[in-house]
Amino acid sequence: MFRTALRNVLAHKARLLMTVLAVMLGVAFVSGTLVFTDTLDNAYRNQSAKSYDNVAVSVTSYADPTARKADGKEEPGIGTKTLEKIEGIDGVASATGRVDGFAGVADPDGRLIGNGWSNKGGNFAPGKDGKDGAYSFTRGSGPVKDSQIALDKDSATKGKYQVGDTVRVATNGPVKEYTLSGVFTTEDGAVNAGGSLVLFDTEVAQQLYLKPGYYQSVTVAAESGASAQKILDEVEPLLPDNAEAQTGKELADDQAKQIEEGLSGLNQMLLAFAAIALFVGVFLISNTFSMLVAQRTKELALLRAVGASRKQVSRSVLSEALVVGVVASVIGFVLGIGLATALRSAMSSFGAKVPNGSLIVAPTTIAAALGVGVLITMFAAWLPARRAAKIPPVAAMGSAHLPATTKSLVLRNSIGAVVTLLGAATIVAGAAAGKDGKMIIGAGAFLALIGVIVLIPLLSRPVIALVRPLLRRLFGVSGNLASRNAVRNPRRTGATASALAIGLTLVTGLSVLGVTMGRAVDKMTTDNIRADYMVTMASGGGLDESVVSALEKAPGVQAVSPQQSSYFKIKDTHKSVSGVVPGDIEKLINIRTVSGSLDTLGSGQIAVAEKTAKSNGWKPGDTLAVEYADGKKAQLTVGATYKDNEFVSPVLISTSLLAPHEEKPHIPEVWVKTDGGMSKAAEQAVVDALGDNPAISVMDQQDIRNTFGGMINTALNIMYGLLAMALIIAVLGVVNTLAMSVFERQQEIGMLRAIGLDRRRVKRMIRLEAVVISLFGAVIGVGLGTFLGWAIGQTVKSSVPGYALVIPWDRIGLFLALAALVGILAAMWPARSAARLNMLTAIKTE
């Protein structure tokens, strides 16, 4: 029987090709994901370990740079005296103090080099030999003067800078010009993430990022043979309470663990989409083997007649599946390795550098990839194998395929209806549960999807019957035959349409949710922002106070206010506070007053958001005992309450009241309104006022909307790309079904040709059949996806102001058009094969 199975596989190579492709693509996705993440993990681990090769002990300070001791002495980090004590410990070869922060480098055109969030500055800390072991200079040397800097090699190349050139560098203050003293290579994570690294003289870096004489961290190198643990034991008593010490090995292990945790999310997401692709592939595989069994009814019945048992027939079909699964899995695994290599190369195009390292193909990856491919194929072929075993020997007397019994169809439809209703009810219950209903909806979605898949054969007849008059009217005989062929075998049509339905359910659900969220965010931005421009740091950090002063003096500026982030402590509860400029903030942000007046901000009172006021029982005129961030206490009066606004905190206060309590205020953004509104001249005036600072971003209202809504669109595009694999497999399913259908109907097609149906109409019939099946699956997927998008939206709408369901008709129309196009493309080969059949040979075919 195994030899028979093997011969059948070899005899039906073309028919099994689509199944091989489906399994191959799914396995490629799985193996590519595992190899890719294992390779990244290994590369980053090696890089992390390499960066700590010469580190015996690492000391890190977690101090607030503005903190003060009770005796009045500042202690913002690890002081020089502590560093000298560490250097004096037996076994210590050297102790190097480090300080770092944001530094943005401008290219010759004034644009920021790097990603912004990964642009760093640090100190050059040479040893007795004049070299800093963390950096290898390829040109020039490290900075030793206040006016000098050194740049990493990639940033110097991007900026076309040579040693001796003048470079504009921005930190959190005004832009300054420095002379480039050298170019270096480094294993620093910021540079590998696509950012830049600027090295300053140590005293300059301390002045910029901390305080003179203090460091944020210290790396300790040990003499040959010295114990890292012994050095650690002697270092720890020397440190302040806000500092922590670890051995280099412990730190490398911690970073390796963080790398693994960071990559696990990516790994899980990619594997989830691989699972979707394989799930869609199940329908294609099952469909293929069902059709092969149907075509071999006579052959299998003859085997039963000559003595083959049911188990032997079943094993024969499963053996074919095993061979197909093994072949497809091996090919898919090899393709997966290529996919992992391509993904690794593609990361560089997004500005991220992957450390050098070999491709990691773990034994578990091989076992997982091959195991998944073979098991999925065997699982999908199980039902057809079971059906084949039930073929009675008497069927060998005829050539007709055995139809499904009425009992089996009634049972299938009853089960499908119950599961679908249960799934729909669960989804509705999850939507009613609000923000806690996501898991409930997930369970309901699974049940509903399974139920609809079971019911699809039943649904195919009435749904396709609706379009039959239209097809007959537009395409005549070809349209009529195509619609009838599409429902001739409901199970096959249903299995083919199911693959498309699954993919489009996910795509449509994501689109409905994404477009709705995007519209809500866009509306929130449009309704609340009156400012012409929002000024932020490219790094995402805080702006310097000098930015506000510079903007207030800029020509044509009508109103300026920072959104200064701080907090109060009221009755042991911390309340987020926004420091704003009274009188100007109303011109910049649409703050809707509920009671009282915002004018009271100018007289030293505060304004409170409506929900916060109600939850605490506050109203205008109430006096609150507050404790500022520096620990000082005060009595503040509530002057107004306002509608909650996403762009300010629940409490508003004048910046003049906050100023005495914050040595260095945290300003995430500054809002600006200019005379005459937005214009190129007004924007240039703002940019000029800021000193043409490359590290500061000036966004107009459209840029602001794009910033908040762009993330949603980017996420949607990534999801579409990942789901494309499942849709490709669905397309293969349509091709396979049509090819098999043409093979089965050779005699019928020959008869049609004999009575006058020309080749052009035969092609049209096959194409229309494909379009009908594709659109049927697409309509089911779009309907279910829209339902799921609505349900998930109900769980998030309470946290998204202005949320209102939006049905993206344009995208849905595009999905349906693409489904029709899929049908046309999928039918090209089967239609051509059908049209080229010799009518006399076809008529004689059994």
Side-chain angles (χ1 to χ4, degrees):
M1 291 302 289
F2 181 76
R3 286 198 299 272
T4 302
L6 190 59
R7 279 197 292 268
N8 280 323
V9 171
L10 296 174
H12 301 134
K13 293 188 289 291
R15 286 183 247 174
L16 290 168
L17 177 62
M18 299 302 170
T19 298
V20 170
L21 286 173
V23 179
M24 180 187 74
L25 289 172
V27 171
F29 211 148
V30 172
S31 57
T33 296
L34 294 174
V35 171
F36 176 62
T37 51
D38 284 349
T39 299
L40 284 186
D41 181 57
N42 182 69
Y44 283 118
R45 279 174 179 267
N46 289 342
Q47 181 194 52
S48 175
K50 184 179 177 182
S51 62
Y52 292 108
D53 275 350
N54 299 318
V55 177
V57 173
S58 176
V59 180
T60 305
S61 171
Y62 300 100
D64 181 348
T66 62
R68 296 174 181 273
K69 279 192 168 183
D71 58 6
K73 293 183 179 179
E74 294 184 354
E75 194 73 1
I78 300 164
T80 302
K81 290 183 179 179
T82 303
L83 182 66
E84 291 172 353
K85 291 178 181 178
I86 293 173
E87 285 179 323
I89 294 174
D90 289 340
V92 171
S94 65
T96 306
R98 300 288 182 191
V99 61
D100 60 63
F102 170 76
V105 182
D107 65 15
D109 295 326
R111 293 187 296 266
L112 182 69
I113 295 174
N115 296 325
W117 56 269
S118 59
N119 291 347
K120 283 177 57 179
N123 64 309
F124 176 66
K128 295 177 182 178
D129 59 357
K131 296 180 180 180
D132 188 329
Y135 312 103
S136 299
F137 280 83
T138 58
R139 285 177 282 160
S141 59
V144 292
K145 297 179 181 178
D146 293 356
S147 59
Q148 293 180 329
I149 62 161
L151 270 180
D152 69 274
K153 185 179 178 181
D154 288 345
S155 298
T157 301
K158 291 174 185 175
K160 299 179 181 178
Y161 289 123
Q162 301 295 328
V163 173
D165 287 351
T166 299
V167 182
R168 298 174 71 243
V169 180
T171 52
N172 287 345
V175 180
K176 293 183 180 180
E177 293 186 345
Y178 298 87
T179 301
L180 185 63
S181 66
V183 176
F184 58 87
T185 59
T186 177
E187 294 295 326
D188 189 277
V191 176
N192 284 321
S196 62
L197 179 60
V198 182
L199 294 182
F200 300 93
D201 175 67
T202 295
E203 290 184 4
V204 174
Q206 288 176 330
Q207 187 68 44
L208 286 171
Y209 301 124
L210 207 57
K211 291 288 177 67
Y214 286 90
Y215 302 92
Q216 290 161 324
S217 62
V218 174
T219 55
V220 181
E223 294 176 349
S224 179
S227 167
Q229 186 60 49
K230 183 175 182 298
I231 293 173
L232 176 66
D233 293 340
E234 294 189 43
V235 165
E236 285 182 327
L238 303 176
L239 303 178
D241 295 338
N242 50 32
E244 180 185 26
Q246 290 177 284
T247 64
K249 185 179 183 308
E250 288 174 341
L251 200 57
D253 290 343
D254 287 347
Q255 287 211 358
K257 187 177 180 181
Q258 291 172 11
I259 290 167
E260 184 177 349
E261 291 173 353
L263 290 174
S264 66
L266 173 65
N267 191 32
Q268 289 170 8
M269 182 183 73
L270 292 175
L271 285 176
F273 284 97
I276 293 169
L278 287 168
F279 184 55
V280 172
V282 166
F283 294 94
L284 192 159
I285 299 164
S286 181
N287 226 7
T288 300
F289 279 95
S290 293
M291 288 186 282
L292 286 174
V293 167
Q295 290 168 13
R296 290 161 49 203
T297 300
K298 191 171 182 178
E299 174 192 328
L300 294 173
L302 281 170
L303 287 173
R304 291 291 316 282
V306 298
S309 67
R310 286 188 174 186
K311 286 184 178 180
Q312 286 178 312
V313 171
S314 179
R315 287 171 187 163
S316 173
V317 176
L318 288 175
S319 297
E320 291 180 45
L322 176 63
V323 173
V324 170
V326 170
V327 171
S329 297
V330 170
I331 298 172
F333 176 71
V334 174
L335 281 178
I337 295 174
L339 178 64
T341 305
L343 284 172
R344 181 175 175 178
S345 301
M347 286 188 69
S348 60
S349 65
F350 292 98
K353 287 174 58 181
V354 180
N356 293 327
S358 56
L359 207 64
I360 302 301
V361 183
T364 52
T365 299
I366 299 173
L370 298 181
V372 163
V374 172
L375 289 175
I376 286 291
T377 309
M378 296 284 284
F379 171 75
W382 177 74
L383 272 178
R386 186 169 173 269
R387 204 172 293 132
K390 290 183 177 181
I391 295 174
V394 73
M397 303 299 294
S399 58
H401 301 150
L402 295 177
T405 64
T406 303
K407 180 181 177 182
S408 68
L409 290 175
V410 171
L411 180 63
R412 174 186 178 127
N413 294 335
S414 300
I415 293 173
V418 170
V419 174
T420 302
L421 290 173
L422 180 61
T426 306
I427 291 171
V428 171
K435 62 182 180 180
D436 299 322
K438 293 185 181 67
M439 296 299 293
I440 300 173
I441 291 174
F446 178 76
L447 290 174
L449 202 57
I450 296 298
V452 168
I453 288 167
V454 174
L455 273 181
I456 272 184
L458 175 66
L459 296 173
S460 63
R461 290 184 182 275
V463 173
I464 295 176
L466 292 174
V467 298
R468 184 178 298 160
L470 179 64
L471 290 172
R472 188 187 301 122
R473 190 177 302 115
L474 293 176
F475 303 103
V477 174
S478 296
N480 188 33
L481 289 172
S483 61
R484 291 180 181 278
N485 288 334
V487 294
R488 176 181 294 182
N489 191 328
R491 281 184 171 173
R492 184 186 304 168
T493 298
T496 305
S498 293
L500 277 171
I502 294 167
L504 281 174
T505 294
L506 298 171
V507 169
T508 305
L510 287 170
S511 296
V512 170
L513 187 61
V515 170
T516 300
M517 292 286 288
R519 192 73 58 85
V521 170
D522 190 62
K523 186 176 185 297
M524 177 181 69
T525 305
T526 305
D527 290 350
N528 289 312
I529 296 177
R530 292 175 174 172
D532 296 321
Y533 301 101
M534 180 175 75
V535 178
T536 61
M537 284 293 290
S539 64
L543 293 158
D544 191 76
E545 288 177 281
S546 60
V547 169
V548 180
S549 303
L551 289 170
E552 288 173 341
K553 298 172 185 176
V557 170
Q558 184 186 118
V560 174
S561 176
Q563 200 282 87
Q564 183 175 328
S565 180
S566 188
Y567 68 90
F568 283 155
K569 191 175 178 182
I570 305 175
K571 294 181 179 179
D572 297 326
T573 302
H574 289 84
K575 300 290 181 185
S576 179
V577 174
S578 285
V580 297
V581 175
D584 280 6
I585 190 62
E586 300 96 316
K587 300 175 185 177
L588 302 164
I589 305 292
N590 185 17
I591 301 175
R592 302 174 182 86
T593 305
V594 176
S595 59
S597 172
L598 290 176
D599 292 340
T600 56
L601 288 172
S603 58
Q605 298 184 12
I606 61 174
V608 183
E610 184 180 22
K611 289 181 182 178
T612 302
K614 281 185 178 179
S615 63
N616 289 279
W618 299 337
K619 60 184 183 300
D622 288 352
T623 300
L624 308 179
V626 305
E627 183 179 323
Y628 287 98
D630 63 353
K632 293 183 180 178
K633 298 179 180 179
Q635 298 287 323
L636 295 177
T637 302
V638 177
T641 60
Y642 59 90
K643 289 282 185 183
D644 288 69
N645 191 301
E646 294 297 313
F647 293 93
V648 292
S649 299
V651 178
L652 297 181
I653 189 173
S654 170
T655 50
S656 60
L657 276 181
L658 279 179
H661 305 284
E662 296 190 341
E663 184 175 343
K664 187 172 179 58
H666 178 59
I667 304 174
E669 65 256 352
V670 177
W671 302 97
V672 183
K673 192 171 185 62
T674 57
D675 296 329
M678 292 178 290
S679 67
K680 287 186 178 179
E683 184 173 345
Q684 191 59 50
V686 172
V687 172
D688 291 342
L690 297 171
D692 194 16
N693 192 324
I696 296 180
S697 174
V698 178
M699 293 186 283
D700 61 21
Q701 288 188 358
Q702 187 59 50
D703 292 331
I704 297 168
R705 291 164 68 182
N706 292 342
T707 298
F708 288 101
M711 293 183 289
I712 295 173
N713 290 329
T714 300
L716 273 179
N717 290 333
I718 292 172
M719 296 296 182
Y720 289 158
L722 293 171
L723 285 171
M725 182 72 74
L727 293 175
I728 289 171
I729 293 175
V731 172
L732 293 177
V734 178
V735 176
N736 205 32
T737 296
L738 291 173
M740 292 285 200
S741 180
V742 167
F743 178 82
E744 285 181 357
R745 288 154 42 199
Q746 288 186 61
Q747 188 178 52
E748 174 190 320
I749 293 170
M751 289 293 293
L752 289 171
R753 292 276 289 113
I755 62 175
L757 196 69
D758 58 22
R759 289 184 175 183
R760 182 172 58 85
R761 289 181 179 177
V762 169
K763 286 183 179 179
R764 183 186 295 168
M765 177 184 72
I766 301 298
R767 290 195 195 104
L768 288 173
E769 183 181 345
V771 170
V772 167
I773 293 173
S774 297
L775 283 176
F776 171 57
V779 168
I780 297 293
V782 164
L784 187 54
T786 302
F787 180 47
L788 286 175
W790 163 80
I792 297 172
Q794 295 299 109
T795 67
V796 299
K797 73 174 188 178
S798 61
S799 58
V800 181
Y803 181 94
L805 182 67
V806 177
I807 305 296
W809 296 111
D810 54 341
R811 299 196 187 195
I812 287 176
L814 178 62
F815 297 156
L816 294 176
L818 288 174
L821 180 62
V822 161
I824 293 170
L825 295 175
M828 289 179 66
W829 172 48
R832 186 168 175 269
S833 299
R836 294 178 65 184
L837 283 175
N838 182 291
M839 66 180 74
L840 294 178
T841 304
I843 289 171
K844 291 188 295 182
T845 303
E846 292 188 9

